[in-house]
Every structure is written in structure tokens, then in C-alpha cells.
DNA sequence: ACCGCACCCTGAGCGC
DNA sequence: TGCGCTCAGGGTGCGG
């Protein structure tokens, strides 16, 4: 599940093989709600454009194009943006991987989930966007136009401050975790890092946001920045030339304190990690360490 | 205005 | 061996 760190790692990996190249071919799967811009229009808009930059806003990637338009990409839950020819074992399930001969395992061919394929004038490797569950999004933004999705985003989570959380949480009855997941307050925090930051800050996910102290807000902001920066570091070093579809499956898993550790002992006090559902999301915490 | 919740989708994993 | 069920959660939108 790509959260800010996974998206940032993707951006860094893809940029050198995307920025500066001129799009000469656009292939797409059948229209679906994955395409906020319909495939025929997308093809028309992208063809011939040169990619000027690849930026990130929260969990969104935005490619700036040479005519002033922009291509918005959101990875959703299972989105993967990668370069053709990447050795990409993680792109296949373990079962389908097992059916391949060893020499085939490093080659990924576009499948029914590979919704967008960008070819380039230089004839080099294509850039592919694959998304099994189609929770991801692709949208072309006209020159000078803004996008409601981007407009709604709060400050990037890497720039989180206690002041932001303090101001946003006053008199709110929403659970502290749901406050962290609100992209209009901080952009980029997802389920995993919300649970981790709450644990490191000693805040129970269910606590009402209005009951957070200023010190809690400072701790949360600091820990959000900390877990994200650390994840980008480890993700960047462990992900060589493929992109894992599962944040919990990356190098950061070794440092997880609570996420997906239901029933396992808390690393601080030994009490079993609890799992509840909050805001439709699996939520993990330690009853002893988080008040 | 705020908040809880249903929904979009597919594959993995599990019990029988 | 295979079927049916549950779970995973980012983001949108609706109803209370």
C-alpha cells in the first residue's frame, strides 16, 4: 500500500528514466474509473510531449509536461510505476512466479493489469503503470488548470509540525488516527505510518483528536517525519529496480513496532499488540504504551 | 461542519 | 482439490 515513502521512492527511481524523454506511444487498457481522463483523450494529450519534471504531492505523483500540462498519477492501493525491463519478481504473485522458469522470472510482460504504457521517441525502455485493483488514478491536467484533488491536500507529511496538528485537532471528536489519515491536514500519511507514529508518540489511535495535548501533537509530527524519512532511506536501499506493491513487505517491515503485529509482544513492554477496526482500517496499538 | 460508513476492485489466505 | 468466505485500504461521496 503505497504511502508517502513508497511514492517518494518510486519518484526517485523513475525520474532518471522518465524526465527529459519525449512520449511517442501511449497504450492503455479498456476505459474504467482508473482513467479520470478517458484513454482516447489521454493518448492525444500525451503523445509528443516531453516530460519536464516528476514531482510528488502527498501520495500523488505529478509529471510536468513541456506544454505546461500535467499528468497526475495516484498509485492507490496496488499501483506500481516502473520501467520496462526491470527485474520485477514482486510484480508477480508467489504462485504465478513458481510456474516460471528461472530465466523468465526476471522478465515482466505487460498483463491485463498494466493499464498505462508510455513509449518514447528515443526507443528506450517504456514506463509502465500497473494496478491490479484499479484504486489508482490517471488524469491529464490542462495548462494553467488546477485539480481539486491536489488543491485539497494539506502540507506534505515530511513537513509535519506540531502546530499543524494542534490547530487541526482543536474541538474535534474524530479519532486521533483518523485525523492523521485526513489528507487535507497532512498529505501522505497512510495506515501503516499512522499506526507507527501513534505508537512512537504514546497516543492511542482511538483518542479523540480534541483531547490531544500540544506535546502529543509535537511528538506525533516529529514521529511522522521520523518514520517516513527512515522508510524512504530503507526503501531506497532495498528496492533496487522494482517497486514492491506492499509497504509492509519492504525493508521497513523489520522496524515496524505495531503494524501487522497483532498478538505479538510489544517491543517496549511485552504486552500483546491489539488490533481493532477504526475508520474502516485495521488499526494496531499497544494498550499499555498508548494512552 | 463534522463524522461514520459504504463502495470501487482483485488476489491471497484460510477453513471445510 | 476447490469452493466460498474474509481481509487488505486510498480516496470519494453520501446520509445523519
Amino acid at each position: 500500500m503505497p504511502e508517502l515513502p513508497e511514492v517518494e521512492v518510486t519518484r526517485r527511481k523513475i525520474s532518471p528514466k522518465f524526465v527529459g524523454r519525449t512520449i511517442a506511444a501511449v497504450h492503455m487498457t479498456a476505459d474504467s474509473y482508473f482513467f479520470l481522463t478517458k484513454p482516447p483523450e489521454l493518448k492525444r494529450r500525451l503523445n509528443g510531449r516531453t516530460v519536464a519534471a516528476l514531482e510528488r504531492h502527498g501520495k500523488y505523483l505529478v509529471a510536468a509536461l513541456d506544454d505546461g500540462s500535467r499528468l497526475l498519477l495516484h498509485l492507490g492501493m496496488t499501483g506500481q510505476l516502473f520501467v520496462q525491463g526491470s527485474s520485477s519478481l514482486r510484480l508477480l504473485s508467489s504462485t504465478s512466479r513458481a510456474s516460471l522458469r528461472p530465466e523468465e522470472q526476471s522478465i515482466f510482460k505487460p498483463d491485463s493489469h498494466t493499464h498505462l504504457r508510455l513509449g518514447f521517441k528515443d526507443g528506450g525502455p517504456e514506463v509502465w503503470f500497473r494496478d491490479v485493483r484499479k484504486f489508482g488514478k490517471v488524469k491529464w491536467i490542462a495548462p494553467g488548470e488546477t485539480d481539486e484533488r491536489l488543491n485539497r491536500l494539506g502540507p506534505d507529511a515530511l513537513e509535519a509540525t506540531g502546530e499543524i496538528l494542534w490547530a487541526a485537532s482543536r474541538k474535534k471528536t474524530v479519532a486521533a488516527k483518523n485525523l492523521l489519515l485526513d489528507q487535507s491536514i497532512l498529505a501522505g500519511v497512510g495506515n501503516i505510518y499512522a499506526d507507527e507514529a501513534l505508537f512512537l508518540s504514546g497516543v492511542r489511535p482511538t483518542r479523540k483528536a480534541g483531547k490531544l495535548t500540544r506535546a502529543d501533537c509535537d511528538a506525533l509530527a516529529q514521529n511522522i517525519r521520523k518514520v517516513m524519512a527512515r522508510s524512504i532511506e530503507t526503501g531506497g536501499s532495498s528496492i533496487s529496480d522494482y517497486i514492491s506493491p506492499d509497504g509492509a513487505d519492504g525493508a521497513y517491515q523489520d522496524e515496524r513496532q505495531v503494524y501487522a503485529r497483532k498478538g505479538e509482544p510489544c517491543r517496549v513492554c511485552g504486552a500483546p499488540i491489539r488490533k481493532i477496526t477504526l475508520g474502516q482500517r485495521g488499526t494496531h496499538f499497544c494498550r499499555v504504551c498508548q494512552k
Side-chain angles (χ1 to χ4, degrees):
Chain A
M1 52 231 59
E3 300 184 28
L4 185 154
E6 290 75 24
V7 177
E8 176 61 17
V9 169
T10 297
R11 189 191 69 79
R12 294 181 186 184
K13 289 291 176 186
I14 291 292
S15 285
K17 297 168 178 179
F18 191 33
V19 176
R21 301 179 74 192
T22 301
I23 298 167
V26 185
H27 294 105
M28 287 156 289
T29 51
D31 187 25
S32 68
Y33 68 91
F34 175 85
F35 294 103
L36 296 179
T37 301
K38 300 299 175 198
E41 182 184 359
L42 198 57
K43 184 170 191 162
R44 192 169 72 245
R45 302 295 192 184
L46 297 183
N47 220 328
R49 298 275 62 81
T50 297
V51 180
L54 184 61
E55 295 158 356
R56 181 189 57 76
H57 301 281
K59 301 173 197 174
Y60 288 87
L61 286 173
V62 180
L65 305 178
D66 61 346
D67 63 350
S69 68
R70 294 179 290 168
L71 179 65
L72 179 149
L73 303 164
H74 194 288
L75 301 180
M77 278 289 299
T78 51
Q80 304 162 306
L81 191 67
F82 58 103
V83 177
Q84 176 186 14
S86 300
S87 50
S88 37
L89 294 179
R90 304 264 179 129
L91 295 170
L92 305 169
S93 68
S94 55
T95 46
S96 52
R97 202 159 63 221
S99 68
L100 297 175
R101 294 193 300 275
E103 63 270 25
E104 289 177 328
Q105 293 191 4
S106 63
I107 305 164
F108 174 76
K109 296 187 175 67
D111 60 5
S112 63
H113 304 304
T114 309
H115 301 298
L116 178 65
R117 294 163 48 201
L118 300 175
F120 300 93
K121 195 176 162 187
D122 59 25
E126 298 183 355
V127 168
W128 290 349
F129 187 176
R130 181 173 186 262
D131 186 2
V132 169
R133 289 168 69 182
K134 293 197 284 193
F135 282 13
K137 294 282 177 286
V138 175
K139 183 187 177 182
W140 180 81
I141 305 171
E145 287 197 2
T146 59
D147 177 75
E148 266 313 302
R149 288 174 172 74
L150 297 177
N151 291 345
R152 272 198 292 269
L153 296 179
D156 197 82
L158 289 180
E159 316 294 326
T161 66
E163 180 57 37
I164 293 170
L165 292 175
W166 175 251
S169 61
R170 293 310 82 199
K171 297 182 179 176
K172 294 274 182 65
T173 59
V174 68
K177 176 170 178 182
N178 290 342
L179 187 87
L180 298 186
L181 293 178
D182 187 337
Q183 302 297 298
S184 71
I185 296 169
L186 282 178
V189 181
N191 205 42
I192 298 173
Y193 299 102
D195 281 4
E196 294 297 314
L198 284 160
F199 173 82
L200 295 174
S201 306
V203 175
R204 199 169 294 195
T206 50
R207 195 192 317 169
K208 293 192 188 322
K211 298 287 187 184
L212 293 171
T213 65
R214 179 56 205 253
D216 290 329
C217 292
D218 289 342
L220 283 168
Q222 183 186 340
N223 286 314
I224 286 168
R225 296 195 309 269
K226 180 177 156 187
V227 295
M228 297 223 156
R230 178 63 186 147
S231 181
I232 290 171
E233 268 181 38
T234 57
S237 59
S238 73
I239 297 176
S240 51
D241 54 357
Y242 62 85
I243 299 300
S244 169
D246 182 3
D249 199 26
Y252 194 74
Q253 66 173 339
D254 303 331
E255 304 185 24
R256 278 183 291 111
Q257 300 295 314
V258 288
Y259 186 81
R261 294 194 66 238
K262 177 186 176 184
E264 294 175 35
C266 169
R267 299 194 206 277
V268 172
C269 76
I273 298 301
R274 299 282 180 136
K275 180 180 180 185
I276 59 171
T277 298
L278 193 56
Q280 318 298 113
R281 266 60 175 159
T283 298
H284 315 74
F285 68 100
C286 171
R287 285 181 75 186
V288 176
C289 296
Q290 294 171 263
K291 307 296 186 186

